[in-house]
Amino acid sequence: MAKPKDNPNYKVVAENRRARFDYAIEEDLECGIILEGSEVKSLRNGGANIAESYAIVEDGELWLVNSYIAPYEQAKTFAHEEKRKRKLLVSKKEMSKLWNETQRKGMALVPLVLYFNHRGMAKMKIGIAKGKKAHDKRETAAKRDWNRQKQRLLKDNG
């Protein structure tokens, strides 16, 4: 995700770089996230990890599970729980689509990026993904290595 140069509010907080290696992302979706005050302050400092987290549809609501937001030092009495379930905000139409994808088609909901958008609101981009098999992962690694090697050759000889 490229950073708009003219916008001071846009900031990527956490990125799940391994997701594109482990999963074949078929579609991605931007959703809001409900946070406490100390969580927002901690995110502004850049203290988050979504690498081992996942999203689930439960009782008609979308939840982010196992995401880590570092404690905010100045919030001693009103500190937040670091690995709590956080509610994600999507429309009812999108919710029914996500439920359909996960329950009927066996897809996974993988968090891709946690960021502040151009208005300064915390947003999460989740991917509707299918898990890759080992041979698919090897193929992805081979393509990545070949593209890297190709770039080096073009740089040296071009």
Side-chain angles (χ1 to χ4, degrees), residues 9 12 57 75 111-112 114-115 125 130 137 143:
N9 290 330
V12 173
V57 178
L112 301 174
L114 177 62
Y115 61 98
K125 187 165 280 196
K130 190 177 281 186
K137 290 181 184 180
K143 273 185 192 172

Side-chain angles (χ1 to χ4, degrees):
M1 189 170 258
K3 179 180 177 184
K5 291 176 177 46
D6 59 343
N7 202 328
N9 290 330
Y10 185 88
K11 179 183 178 188
V12 173
V13 178
E15 191 172 2
N16 188 354
R17 297 181 67 202
R18 187 139 178 100
R20 296 198 188 275
F21 181 75
D22 289 336
Y23 297 95
I25 312 284
E26 296 194 0
E27 191 177 338
D28 59 0
L29 174 77
E30 182 185 68
C31 52
I33 182 168
I34 295 180
L35 298 171
E36 294 177 5
S38 60
E39 290 174 326
V40 176
K41 294 271 193 180
S42 180
L43 288 179
R44 294 237 181 252
N45 291 340
N49 185 1
I50 59 168
E52 295 176 3
S53 61
Y54 58 95
I56 56 170
V57 178
E58 196 174 89
D59 299 327
E61 295 178 331
L62 185 62
W63 295 92
L64 179 65
V65 181
N66 204 27
S67 63
Y68 173 80
I69 297 180
Y72 186 63
E73 289 301 316
Q74 284 79 7
K76 297 277 188 232
T77 54
F78 300 105
H80 63 273
E81 199 177 316
E82 291 144 30
K83 283 208 168 204
R84 71 178 181 89
K85 276 172 60 174
R86 293 171 177 88
K87 188 174 180 182
L88 298 175
L89 304 170
V90 291
S91 69
K92 286 184 180 179
K93 184 179 177 184
E94 290 170 336
M95 179 65 66
S96 63
K97 179 183 170 193
L98 291 174
W99 185 88
N100 186 31
E101 295 283 340
T102 56
Q103 300 300 315
R104 294 194 181 142
K105 297 182 183 175
M107 305 289 252
L109 300 177
V110 183
L112 301 174
V113 184
L114 177 62
Y115 61 98
F116 287 102
N117 69 1
H118 65 283
R119 290 175 46 208
M121 307 289 279
K123 298 287 181 177
M124 167 78 64
K125 187 165 280 196
I126 59 172
I128 302 169
K130 190 177 281 186
K132 284 186 182 177
K133 304 276 190 275
H135 61 87
D136 293 333
K137 290 181 184 180
R138 285 194 296 273
E139 190 178 301
T140 303
K143 273 185 192 172
R144 184 182 59 230
D145 292 344
W146 167 241
N147 285 334
R148 198 176 292 144
Q149 193 175 6
K150 198 165 51 173
Q151 289 299 321
R152 279 195 201 112
L153 289 171
L154 288 172
K155 184 180 172 187
D156 294 342
N157 299 333

